[in-house]
Every structure is written in C-alpha cells, then in structure tokens.
Amino acid sequence: MRIGELAAQAGTTTRTLRYYESRGLLPARRNGNGYRAYDEADLRLLRQIRTLQGFGFDLEQTRPFVECLQAGHPEGDSCPASLDVCRGRLAELDECLARLHEVRDRVAAQLARAELRVEAEHPGGPEPHCELSTNHAQTKES
C-alpha cells in the first residue's frame, strides 16, 4: 500500500509516517516507480506505536517494541528490551500516582480543617445566600 493508504488505515498523517521513517521506526521501502511501499506488518508497527503513545510512552520508548516486532516476534512486548521499557514506565506511573495520592490527602485534610473551622464559627452552617434572589430583587428595583 502507499503512504496515504497506510496513514488512513493507521489513523495518522503522511507527515507522521515520514517522521517515523526518518527516526528509523518505519522501514523506508520504495517500489519500482519510487513511491513508498508498505504492508500489513508496517500497519501493525504503527498500531503498536500509537497504542504505546496512548499509554504515555514517548516515541523513543516505542523503539524496542518496534524492533521486537521487526525481529519476528508475534507481540512487541515479548523481548527483554521491551519488558525493561514497560517496567520503567510502570515505575514512573507508580511514582506519579504516589504523588497524586499525597496531594489528594493534603487537599482532603485542608478541606476537613476548613469545614471544622466553618462549623465552629457558624454552628449549623452559614446563613443561606442565594445570588439569584439578590440579583432578581435588584432587577425589580431598577
């Protein structure tokens, strides 16, 4: 298939495919008339790259998966280098989640302190205030 067909099937652009080619992630094969030629294996590579990017992998991190597929493995994640990249990405995500949980706990504690303070200052809660009623009354007076 030609570059436009591959881009359409992969849900990307020809510019992206040329970039991947320049980075050595997509083979640069040409047919007799000089057009780029691709096959189902190339489509599979692109789908692997796009899936990994959806998981937050940067383009260079996809390289071991692409190389694994190009080496003939049925799955791009069955090679040692791919597994190492997965482990590294998982560790990054775990660190990010830990930081998010820490921030969430601090926000929850801040909210709890604020709610206790408001309750102490206004037992039973603050006086209800409805801006719609205030704006409506001001409109009638105008």
Side-chain angles (χ1 to χ4, degrees):
M1 73 186 89
R2 292 178 44 187
I3 193 167
E5 296 168 290
L6 180 63
Q9 286 191 34
T12 191
T13 65
T14 58
R15 182 178 180 188
T16 298
L17 298 185
R18 287 186 195 101
Y19 178 69
Y20 291 171
E21 183 181 302
S22 74
R23 299 293 306 258
L25 292 169
L26 190 62
R29 292 184 306 272
R30 305 264 180 178
N31 58 22
N33 60 8
Y35 290 122
R36 287 173 171 86
Y38 301 99
D39 59 21
E40 290 299 317
D42 299 318
L43 180 58
R44 193 162 161 227
L45 289 176
L46 286 172
R47 288 183 174 150
Q48 178 79 72
I49 291 169
R50 292 180 55 80
T51 296
L52 292 168
Q53 286 183 314
F55 293 158
F57 288 78
D58 66 36
L59 190 57
E60 195 55 36
Q61 288 174 316
T62 69
R63 186 174 301 281
F65 298 87
V66 168
E67 290 171 351
C68 191
L69 286 171
Q70 289 173 328
H73 295 272
E75 300 293 330
D77 60 1
S78 59
C79 295
S82 303
L83 295 171
D84 287 343
V85 171
C86 273
R87 286 184 193 103
R89 181 68 182 134
L90 192 57
E92 290 171 7
L93 290 169
D94 287 340
E95 288 174 25
C96 184
L97 286 171
R99 286 192 309 270
L100 285 172
H101 282 292
E102 181 182 316
V103 170
R104 188 216 176 273
D105 291 345
R106 291 194 332 238
V107 170
Q110 174 78 26
L111 175 60
R113 286 190 302 272
E115 288 176 334
L116 285 173
R117 189 176 56 251
V118 168
E119 180 61 30
E121 293 170 2
H122 306 282
E127 285 292 316
H129 178 71
C130 179
E131 291 195 24
L132 182 60
S133 298
T134 305
N135 289 339
H136 183 66
Q138 289 175 353
T139 304
K140 284 186 175 182
E141 292 174 7
S142 301

